[in-house]
Amino acid sequence: MFILPTRRGMVFVALIALVVLIAFVYNNNLAYMLGFLMASIFFVTILHSFKSLSGLVIRPSHHPPVFAGDKAMFNFVLHNPGDQQRVAIEMRLQEAVPISLQAGETRSVSLPAATKKRGWLDCSTLTLSSCYPLGLFRAWSPLRFDSRVLVYPYPAKLDLPFPETAAGQGRQGQSKRGGDEFYGLKSYQSGDPIRQIHWKAYAKGRGLHSKQYAGSASLEFWLDYDETPGGDVEGRLSQLCRWVVDAERAGLRYGLLLPGVKLSPDCGIAHSQACLRELALFGLAR
């Protein structure tokens, strides 16, 4: 733990020196008493600044994954085992979060961190600090935790239809249509009903597409990296991420094909998280 005077503390020191100097020049006992009283307050504040952080227990908690561009949340559990209240405590990663703890209280604290790219985001140095009680000193302790957040690729904004077929034996998706459940989009073909045209996509300049609907029977298709449109690796992963999110939201069964990775068709949160994890770590160190 480190303790140093703040700017206010340095001004307080200068004021003490000025009062003692006045007492010396005019030989004024009251000025001497005031100067020594201020000096005693200054030094006693060091002890209280130390005790404001001493003994606190902090441990990392679960850090949920996020999509690139969203705020990652590093979660910690802070416990005050002592019998005194802790106030004016500040926890900081990239942004400061003020907290106070009652005697014996345990609290969960979430600290945000910006994300820019997919993969693992390591927890930077966590700083626990306090300027209690008078703001004359700042006590702080830098903490390092072996914690990280998984960052998924950013879902593509382009609303492309799900792939209808994929290369390879046993990878062709079922083509059951005509039910009530929304399945996806396909390029408009002459003869498609006008009521099924996706006018929002057309208004955004994405071309003319028709909505596809499926019956209650589960649909199954593959999301193949090699068949995914995109100008580069990140563009393809972004589109695959969008398809995984949309397919899971629609309750469809889907499989994922990446170079060296094959996840059989399934649905559910566990399957979607497994697919998103593979997309997040594709080509990166695991």
Side-chain angles (χ1 to χ4, degrees), residues 81-82 119 154 172 189 208:
Y154 179 76
Q172 185 167 353
Q189 297 179 357
L208 204 56

Side-chain angles (χ1 to χ4, degrees), residues 1 3 46-57 79-86 89 128 130 139-141:
M1 188 185 304
I3 303 177
I46 299 177
L47 177 61
H48 286 281
S49 297
F50 173 81
K51 292 179 66 176
S52 66
L53 296 182
S54 178
L56 288 177
V57 180
H79 175 59
N80 177 18
D83 56 359
Q84 64 176 2
Q85 184 183 18
R86 311 295 182 105
I89 299 174
L128 195 66
S130 175
W140 78 96
S141 180

Side-chain angles (χ1 to χ4, degrees), residues 1-281:
M1 188 185 304
F2 303 92
I3 303 177
L4 285 177
T6 62
R7 180 178 298 180
R8 180 185 297 180
M10 297 304 295
V11 172
F12 195 75
V13 170
L15 183 59
I16 294 174
L18 179 61
V19 171
V20 173
L21 180 61
I22 292 174
F24 176 77
V25 171
Y26 293 98
N27 194 22
N28 188 307
N29 291 333
L30 289 178
Y32 273 120
M33 185 178 68
L34 177 60
F36 293 149
L37 177 62
M38 294 174 63
S40 64
I41 293 175
F42 181 81
F43 290 111
V44 169
T45 301
I46 299 177
L47 177 61
H48 286 281
S49 297
F50 173 81
K51 292 179 66 176
S52 66
L53 296 182
S54 178
L56 288 177
V57 180
I58 182 171
R59 64 179 184 271
S61 184
H62 173 66
H63 312 308
V66 296
F67 293 98
D70 294 340
K71 289 280 189 179
M73 302 302 295
F74 287 94
N75 298 316
F76 298 91
V77 177
L78 187 62
H79 175 59
N80 177 18
D83 56 359
Q84 64 176 2
Q85 184 183 18
R86 311 295 182 105
V87 298
I89 299 174
E90 183 179 275
M91 296 180 64
R92 176 187 293 271
L93 278 180
Q94 296 179 0
E95 301 177 10
V97 176
I99 57 174
S100 297
L101 293 172
Q102 299 295 328
E105 182 182 1
T106 300
R107 177 175 298 184
S108 297
V109 182
S110 297
L111 302 178
T115 61
K116 296 181 180 179
K117 58 182 181 179
R118 63 182 177 90
W120 289 112
L121 175 64
D122 293 324
C123 179
S124 58
T125 301
L126 169 63
T127 302
L128 195 66
S129 64
S130 175
C131 292
Y132 179 84
L134 301 176
L136 302 180
F137 290 88
R138 179 176 182 262
W140 78 96
S141 180
L143 305 172
R144 294 288 299 178
F145 292 95
D146 187 18
S147 301
R148 56 185 185 175
V149 169
L150 183 60
V151 182
Y152 299 144
Y154 179 76
K157 295 182 178 180
L158 190 60
D159 191 12
L160 295 179
F162 293 125
E164 295 188 6
T165 59
Q169 184 177 2
R171 299 180 186 172
Q172 185 167 353
Q174 299 179 14
S175 58
K176 192 177 184 66
R177 303 286 186 272
D180 297 328
E181 296 183 6
F182 178 70
Y183 171 76
L185 300 176
K186 68 173 183 177
S187 299
Y188 175 79
Q189 297 179 357
S190 179
D192 288 344
I194 296 180
R195 62 183 178 85
Q196 293 187 4
I197 296 178
H198 195 269
W199 295 110
K200 290 184 178 180
Y202 180 74
K204 295 179 180 179
R206 299 174 182 174
L208 204 56
H209 294 84
S210 296
K211 300 178 183 178
Q212 301 179 85
Y213 295 88
S216 59
S218 62
L219 295 169
E220 189 174 288
F221 59 92
W222 288 86
L223 303 176
D224 193 340
Y225 174 85
D226 293 331
E227 302 296 329
T228 301
D232 54 11
V233 174
E234 298 303 324
R236 292 187 179 189
L237 295 177
S238 180
Q239 183 58 55
L240 287 171
C241 180
R242 172 65 185 271
W243 279 337
V244 169
V245 173
D246 289 347
E248 186 62 34
R249 190 175 300 164
L252 307 177
R253 292 175 57 86
Y254 55 94
L256 179 65
L257 290 172
L258 298 173
V261 177
K262 179 180 179 181
L263 298 179
S264 300
D266 202 349
C267 62
I269 296 179
H271 180 63
S272 66
Q273 290 180 345
C275 293
L276 292 173
R277 178 185 176 89
E278 294 297 335
L279 295 176
L281 300 180

